[in-house]
Every structure is written in C-alpha cells, then in structure tokens.
Amino acid sequence: MLEVRDITVRYSGLPVLREASITVQEGQTVSVVGANGAGKSTLLKAIMGAARLAPEGGISFRGQNIKGLKTEEIVRRGLIYVPEDRKLFKPLAVEDNLLLGAFVVDDEAKKRRKLEYVYELFPRLKERRRQAAGSLSGGEQQMVAIGRGLMSDPKMLMLDEPSLGLAPLMVSEVFETVRKLRQEGLTVLLVEQNVLEALELADYAYIMQTGRLRHEGQAQELLESDVVRKAFLGL
Ligand SMILES: Nc1ncnc2c1ncn2[C@@H]1O[C@H](COP(=O)(O)OP(=O)(O)OP(=O)(O)O)[C@@H](O)[C@H]1O
Ligand SMILES: [Mg+2]
C-alpha cells in the first residue's frame, strides 16, 4: 500500500532522515520505534509532503507516486496523518473538530455514518460532542485527533506518538483503539517511543536511530531480539 524508497530530508544541510525505506502492506500495522530526535516525525511529515525531500528516492501510495504532491492531494488519496501535537481547533466543539476531518467527503449521509462510527469507537466523545475540544483531557483530545483522521475515510492512517503525554490508563486505551482499527482491517503506520506496546500490536516494525532505519523485521521477532531487549527494554 505504501512504498517509501531511499528518501532523505536535510535541515540546513544536515540530514535528519537518511535514505529511509519502508513498506506497508494493505491491512498491516507497521510500527516505527525510536528515541527522541531519531527522525520519526520527520519521516511521517516527509511522506505527507510536509518536509523538504532530497531529489533522490521515491514514495508511492496504492501504486501511484505521491512524492512531490501537496499534502491536501495526498489526503484526498486516502493517506491520513494524525500529528504528534494533535492540532485540534481548541475553541471549537468536539463534533466540529471531527467534521473538519471530513472535508474530503462530499456525501452528507456518509459524513453522518462516519460520525456515528467514531462515536461508537469513542463513546466518551459522543457525551462531550458539544464541549470545546480544548476543555477535554489529553487522552480525550487524542481520541478527537484519531477520530478526525477516521472521518476522512482513510485507506491508511499514520499515527505520530498517539500515547505521548498520557497517563498509563489512557495509554492502554489508545493502544486498544489501534488494535481495534487493525482488526477492522485498516492499514496503520504507527510511530512510537513506547517500544513494548508498539511492537506487541504490530505485524512488522522498524527501529530508527539518528535518522536511519537500522533494523527491521517481524514485530514479534524484534521484540525477542537482543538489540531491542538491550537498547529499548533494558533487559
Ligand atoms: N524544521 C526543522 N528544522 C531543523 N531541524 C529540525 C526540524 N524538524 C526537526 N528537526 C530536527 O530533526 C531531528 C529529528 O526530529 P523529529 O521530530 O523527526 O524526531 P522524532 O523522532 O519525531 O522525535 P520525538 O520522539 O521527540 O518526537 C531532530 O534533531 C530535530 O531537532
Ligand atoms: Mg516526533
């Protein structure tokens, strides 16, 4: 579904993403894990056309080139990105934030169906649908951000550290949601620092260190590998 080949991003001449290649197959959940500053968000922004890419390399989505396209065009093709900082419109109601995600859906009935689906997934948001998004807890705001992504009827969802800054209970809830989406067959690319959880729920995973994807493999195998156990799990 998504094929990234040898892409590089430089800021002021310094590479922060070096010749990165990843493949995500339809229906898979793929995790990219790595420490602060490894380049995880840069990778997702680069895929979304929101970081300046070096001329080398290519990105294709559902068999078509998307490198060089505008973010909005990439969104229209069904690739949706939920950013690390959530980017909600805080004074607006929860429901209005969700509906903003559906700007690519022109069919009103379909919009309502999507909204019902998001409320089924996150009943808490339904209760709070008239409340300003900024008044919600961090975890609830993350649900709005994911919900907004789902409103656009994605073919593939990219989540940038959805568990960031959340209390343990909310962290489990967020990962539970990702599991559910996976079961429903949605293709997901998940970026996380929460290595254990991210590997446990993924099919395939990449380990990123200082701008490079250094290791990759079946998530279960990586979980049991020395490199992960020593470098990330402190075992
Ligand atoms: N717009 C920018 N201009 C200059 N440097 C940048 C810019 N964006 C990111 N960087 C640098 O690129 C590196 C990778 O940043 P990135 O945000 O991709 O890391 P990350 O893996 O997502 O980290 P975190 O887990 O903290 O979110 C960092 O050293 C960062 O300072
Ligand atoms: Mg980041």
Side-chain angles (χ1 to χ4, degrees):
M1 176 154 282
L2 178 74
E3 189 83 47
V4 176
R5 280 291 151 254
D6 292 328
I7 60 167
T8 294
V9 174
R10 295 186 186 86
Y11 289 124
S12 333
L14 285 176
V16 292
L17 185 68
R18 305 175 197 216
E19 295 165 358
S21 297
I22 62 170
T23 303
V24 182
Q25 316 242 358
E26 189 167 359
Q28 265 192 337
T29 293
V30 173
S31 291
V32 175
V33 298
N36 285 123
K40 305 180 299 298
S41 297
T42 304
L43 170 67
L44 298 191
K45 286 177 193 160
I47 294 170
M48 289 310 288
R52 190 151 7 101
L53 280 159
E56 316 83 79
I59 307 172
S60 78
F61 179 60
R62 305 176 77 216
Q64 288 183 316
N65 171 59
I66 56 164
K67 190 181 176 214
L69 296 186
K70 289 209 172 91
T71 305
E72 192 188 320
E73 177 55 29
I74 297 172
V75 168
R76 283 189 190 282
R77 291 179 184 209
L79 182 55
I80 304 299
Y81 166 57
V82 179
E84 195 170 36
D85 54 8
R86 295 161 198 160
K87 292 261 186 324
L88 300 183
F89 294 93
K90 297 196 169 181
L92 292 188
V94 166
E95 188 154 298
D96 293 331
N97 270 275
L98 292 174
L99 288 169
L100 280 172
F103 76 96
V104 292
V105 180
D106 350 304
D107 179 346
E108 277 309 312
K110 190 169 176 187
K111 253 186 222 187
R112 298 315 299 183
R113 278 203 305 279
K114 282 277 149 196
L115 197 56
E116 281 318 307
Y117 165 70
V118 169
Y119 286 150
E120 243 169 68
L121 197 60
F122 303 117
R124 214 184 304 209
L125 295 187
K126 187 166 190 176
E127 288 162 27
R128 291 167 173 72
R129 64 186 187 279
R130 307 261 168 255
Q131 213 170 306
S135 69
L136 301 187
S137 76
E140 290 162 354
Q141 291 192 27
Q142 185 62 54
M143 291 173 193
V144 177
I146 296 174
R148 187 183 50 190
L150 293 170
M151 287 295 293
S152 60
D153 201 16
K155 303 273 188 303
M156 175 172 165
L157 196 60
M158 303 202 294
L159 302 173
D160 195 350
E161 297 202 48
S163 75
L164 191 71
L166 303 184
L169 208 63
M170 289 311 290
V171 170
S172 325
E173 218 170 295
V174 163
F175 285 118
E176 213 31 67
T177 303
V178 179
R179 264 199 191 92
K180 226 182 264 176
L181 296 174
R182 178 187 179 208
Q183 276 161 11
E184 289 174 12
L186 187 65
T187 310
V188 177
L189 180 60
L190 173 69
V191 158
E192 266 295 334
Q193 277 189 61
N194 206 323
V195 176
L196 189 60
E197 296 266 27
L199 292 185
E200 274 176 347
L201 64 74
D203 298 290
Y204 200 83
Y206 295 83
I207 296 171
M208 195 163 197
Q209 285 166 327
T210 55
R212 287 184 193 275
L213 295 162
R214 297 222 181 244
H215 305 276
E216 63 174 277
Q218 301 296 326
Q220 201 54 43
E221 283 169 20
L222 281 179
L223 253 184
E224 291 159 9
S225 70
D226 277 352
V227 50
V228 168
R229 291 167 64 86
K230 289 202 181 106
F232 294 104
L233 304 177
L235 300 172

